[in-house]
C-alpha cells in the first residue's frame, strides 16, 4: 500500500472513529449537538474521494470548502488538521487543534482527542516538551485515551527512554487486548543494549532473555545474546544464532557474520558452509546463503568453486548488486582482471550507494542497510530486503 493510500485509510478510520464518538456523545443529548449537516455537502464527498485516491492537497482544498460552509464541524476540522500535518503544514494543524481545544462545546472524548492530536502535531514538529504536556492534558480529560497513550509511548521511544516506552506499551496492550509481544520484545532488547553499554552485563542478559520469552522472533535479542556469549561459550552462542534462524528464517543472513565467528571459535568452521548449503537447498533463490558460501570458499582458496556458485546466484537474482560485486571480487581473486577492470571494480566498491537496500513495509522508507526501527514511521521490524521484480512485459 502506498503512503497516501495508507494515509487515506487511516484518515477514513479517524473520520469513522470521530463520527462514532460524535454519535455516541450526541445520543441522549439535544438535537443541536448532532452535527450531520456537512455530510450533505458535495465538497465533502469530493474531499473523501480525493483522500481515497491519495490526492491530499485536493482533499484539503475540498474540505476547506466544507469548513467554510460548516465552520463548527469538529469532524471536518479534525480530518483537515490531520491532512495538514501529513503534508508537512504542521503549524496549520496546530492552529486548528488549538482552536478546537479552546472551544467549550466539545464532548469529553472530542476534547481528549483534540489534545492528543495537538500533542502529535508538536511531536512531529519536534517540540517534545509541548507534546508531552498536550498528551498529559489529554489523559487528564480522559485517562484511557489510546491516542494520547500511543503518542506518549512514541515520545519516549524518540527520546530512547525504553523502560517508560515499555511500561506504556504494556498498558496499551492490556487496554486494547492486543498482542504487542513483538514490540515489547524489541523495547526489552533496547533496554538490554543500554544496560550493556552501562556495563551491567547481567541485567543486559536478563533483558535479552525476557525479550525472547515475549516473542522468539525478536531477532536482535538473539544477536545480542550470542554476542554476550561468544567469547565465554561459543557453542552456546552458535546455538542461540541457530535458534534465531529457525525462528525467523528470512532474517538468517543477519546472523551470518556472528555465526561464522562462533563456529570458528568452536573450531568447526565447516559448520557455516553446511548451514549455507542447507539454506540454499531450502530456497534456491537465497542469494545471501550462496554469497556466504562463496566468500567462505574464496577465503579457503577455492575461488573457482565460488565463481560457479555466484554465477548461479546471478541467474536467480540478477538485480542484486552485492552478488555482481562478489563475482568481480572472485574474478579478481582468480587473477582474471586486467588493470582497467580492477580500477572499475574499485570504483564500484567505493561508490555503490544502495549496496543492500531495505525498505519499510509500513511507509516505504528506504534505507541502505537493515534497521530494526523505521526512522520515518517509527514502527518496529518493518524493514525488509528490497526486491526488484522484472519490468512489466518481460517473462
Ligand atoms: Zn516506516
Amino acid at each position: 500500500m502506498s503512503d497516501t493510500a495508507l494515509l487515506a485509510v487511516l484518515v477514513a478510520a479517524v473520520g469513522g472513529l470521530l463520527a462514532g464518538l460524535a454519535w455516541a456523545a450526541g445520543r441522549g443529548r439535544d438535537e443541536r449537538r448532532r452535527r450531520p449537516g456537512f455530510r450533505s455537502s458535495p465538497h465533502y464527498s469530493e474531499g473523501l474521494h480525493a483522500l481515497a485516491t491519495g490526492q491530499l492537497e485536493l482533499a484539503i482544498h475540498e474540505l476547506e470548502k466544507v469548513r467554510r460552509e460548516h465552520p463548527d464541524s469538529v469532524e471536518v476540522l479534525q480530518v483537515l488538521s490531520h491532512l495538514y500535518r501529513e503534508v508537512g503544514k504542521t503549524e496549520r494543524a496546530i492552529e486548528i487543534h488549538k482552536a478546537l481545544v479552546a472551544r467549550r462545546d466539545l464532548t469529553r472524548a472530542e476534547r481528549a482527542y483534540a489534545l492528543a492530536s495537538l500533542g502529535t502535531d508538536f511531536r512531529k514538529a519536534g517540540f517534545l516538551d509541548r507534546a508531552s504536556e498536550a498528551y498529559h492534558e489529554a489523559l487528564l480529560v480522559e485517562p484511557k485515551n489510546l491516542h494520547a497513550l500511543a503518542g506518549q509511548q512514541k515520545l519516549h521511544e524518540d527520546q530512547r527512554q525504553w523502560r517508560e516506552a515499555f511500561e506504556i506499551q504494556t498498558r496499551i496492550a492490556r487496554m486494547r487486548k492486543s498482542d504487542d509481544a513483538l514490540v515489547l520484545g524489541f523495547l526489552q532488547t533496547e533496554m538490554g543494549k543500554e544496560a550493556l553499554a552501562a556495563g551491567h552485563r547481567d541485567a543486559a542478559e536478563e533483558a535479552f532473555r525476557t525479550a525472547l520469552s515475549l516473542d522468539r522472533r525478536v531477532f536482535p535479542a538473539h544477536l545480542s545474546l550470542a554476542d554476550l556469549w561468544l567469547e565465554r561459550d561459543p557453542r552456546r552462542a552458535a546455538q542461540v544464532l541457530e535458534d534465531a534462524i529457525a525462528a525467523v528464517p528470512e532474517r538468517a543472513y543477519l546472523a551470518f557474520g556472528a555465526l561464522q565467528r562462533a563456529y570458528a571459535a568452536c573450531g568447526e568452521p565447516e559448520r557455516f558452509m553446511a548451514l549455507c548449503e542447507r539454506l540454499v537447498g531450502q530456497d534456491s533463490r537465497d542469494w545471501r546463503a550462496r554469497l556466504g558460501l562463496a566468500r567462505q570458499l574464496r577465503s579457503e582458496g577455492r575461488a573457482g568453486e565460488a565463481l560457479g556458485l555466484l554465477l548461479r546466484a546471478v541467474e536467480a537474482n540478477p538485480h542484486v548488486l552485492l552478488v555482481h560485486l562478489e563475482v568481480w571480487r572472485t574474478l579478481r581473486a582468480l587473477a582474471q582482471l586486467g588493470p582497467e577492470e580492477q580500477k572499475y571494480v574499485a570504483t564500484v566498491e567505493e561508490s555503490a550507494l544502495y549496496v543492500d537496500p531495505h525498505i519499510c513495509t509500513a511507509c516505504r522508507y528506504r534505507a541502505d542497510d537493515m534497521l530494526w526501527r523505521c526512522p520515518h514511521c517509527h514502527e518496529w521490524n518493518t524493514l525488509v530486503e528490497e526486491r526488484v521484480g522484472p519490468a512489466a512485459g518481460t517473462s
Side-chain angles (χ1 to χ4, degrees), residues 50-306:
L51 198 54
T53 51
Q55 305 174 76
L56 300 195
E57 295 288 354
L58 182 60
I60 289 177
H61 186 72
E62 291 300 323
L63 289 174
E64 275 294 357
K65 288 182 193 162
V66 183
R67 179 195 189 177
R68 278 196 289 277
E69 295 164 0
H70 305 272
D72 291 335
S73 161
V74 178
E75 270 178 79
V76 173
L77 290 170
Q78 285 281 27
V79 175
L80 250 181
S81 54
H82 271 77
L83 283 170
Y84 276 124
R85 189 203 296 145
E86 282 308 315
V87 299
K89 293 178 182 166
T90 320
E91 68 291 347
R92 293 283 292 130
I94 291 177
E95 208 177 285
I96 296 176
H97 285 135
K98 277 187 170 168
L100 268 175
V101 168
R103 276 169 56 165
R104 294 173 168 273
D105 63 335
L106 298 193
T107 65
R108 219 177 155 76
E110 284 169 342
R111 177 172 308 282
Y113 194 83
L115 278 164
S117 300
L118 183 61
T120 302
D121 298 338
F122 282 138
R123 186 164 69 80
K124 290 273 162 80
F127 301 121
L128 303 190
D129 287 347
R130 280 192 241 173
S132 176
E133 260 170 51
Y135 289 138
H136 181 71
E137 277 184 55
L139 291 169
L140 287 179
V141 175
E142 196 182 50
K144 290 188 173 179
N145 185 286
L146 274 171
H147 186 50
L149 280 172
Q152 266 190 339
Q153 196 275 4
K154 289 280 176 214
L155 202 55
H156 286 305
E157 282 189 0
D158 291 347
Q159 298 172 91
R160 305 180 61 80
Q161 295 163 341
W162 308 117
R163 182 171 300 280
E164 291 83 350
F166 181 85
E167 278 159 13
I168 297 182
Q169 190 68 45
T170 309
R171 261 183 81 190
I172 293 175
R174 214 178 295 139
M175 282 167 52
R176 285 198 299 221
K177 296 188 171 50
S178 56
D179 179 10
D180 293 353
L182 193 66
V183 171
L184 289 169
F186 275 100
L187 291 169
Q188 273 290 331
T189 307
E190 292 302 330
M191 284 157 67
K193 286 182 187 167
E194 206 142 82
L196 196 61
H200 307 306
R201 196 191 152 96
D202 289 345
E205 185 174 332
E206 173 81 26
F208 299 142
R209 283 170 173 284
T210 306
L212 291 174
S213 69
L214 283 162
D215 196 317
R216 303 293 301 166
R217 295 169 302 163
V218 184
F219 209 87
H222 290 280
L223 293 178
S224 297
L225 207 50
D227 211 33
L228 270 183
W229 282 335
L230 186 62
E231 267 182 43
R232 283 189 208 172
D233 191 347
R235 213 162 284 280
R236 202 166 172 186
Q239 184 59 52
V240 170
L241 295 165
E242 285 167 6
D243 288 349
I245 293 175
V248 201
E250 65 274 20
R251 300 266 194 221
Y253 65 98
L254 296 166
F256 280 179
L259 255 179
Q260 239 169 335
R261 285 192 295 279
Y263 288 146
C266 296
E268 299 167 325
E270 69 283 353
R271 282 175 69 192
F272 181 69
M273 294 247 264
L275 174 91
C276 289
E277 275 164 7
R278 185 165 57 78
L279 291 173
V280 173
Q282 281 168 8
D283 175 8
S284 61
R285 285 177 60 85
D286 189 341
W287 61 269
R288 293 188 190 267
R290 280 216 170 98
L291 199 70
L293 204 49
R295 282 181 180 160
Q296 184 77 21
L297 285 168
R298 205 177 65 214
S299 73
E300 292 177 9
R302 295 156 70 187
E305 286 172 65

Side-chain angles (χ1 to χ4, degrees), residues 123-124 154 157-158 363 373-380 382:
R123 186 164 69 80
K124 290 273 162 80
K154 289 280 176 214
E157 282 189 0
D158 291 347
C363 75
R373 184 174 181 248
C374 173
H376 184 249
C377 70
H378 303 175
E379 293 297 321
W380 292 95
T382 51

